Amino acid sequence: MSTHLAITPDVERDPWTDITNPTPGQLTRIGLLRRGTTDGRASAALVVELPDGTQAIAQTTWRVLQAAVRALAAGPVGSEETQD
């Protein structure tokens, strides 16, 4: 099974119009699981806390998250940010 992750380097220019009635949340935790996938590879887990206190957990492979971060950093918004 492959992991799919849509990467949008600039959401202001390319809005997510397919998402209806979104609930804003706050990313409160992120961590790595050494053997988080069924084949023993590392995965990343994220916790998003919703305004009502509900916590949602999302998970993807470490490889996919690394690729996403590299793609975002190379995009127009990420490349404008400084590393201070």
Side-chain angles (χ1 to χ4, degrees), residues 3-72:
T3 302
H4 174 77
L5 180 64
I7 300 169
T8 308
D10 188 342
V11 178
E12 290 177 357
R13 282 191 169 163
D14 187 16
W16 297 333
T17 56
D18 59 322
I19 298 177
T20 58
N21 198 25
T23 301
Q26 178 69 41
L27 180 63
T28 59
R29 296 183 187 190
I30 185 169
L32 294 176
L33 298 159
R34 184 176 306 278
R35 288 179 273 289
T37 68
T38 56
D39 61 350
R41 300 200 57 92
S43 66
L46 302 100
V47 175
V48 175
E49 189 166 329
L50 303 177
D52 68 359
T54 301
Q55 295 174 321
I57 298 174
Q59 190 173 341
T60 189
T61 65
W62 173 235
R63 283 183 177 182
V64 168
L65 182 58
Q66 277 186 309
V69 169
R70 284 192 301 268
L72 292 172

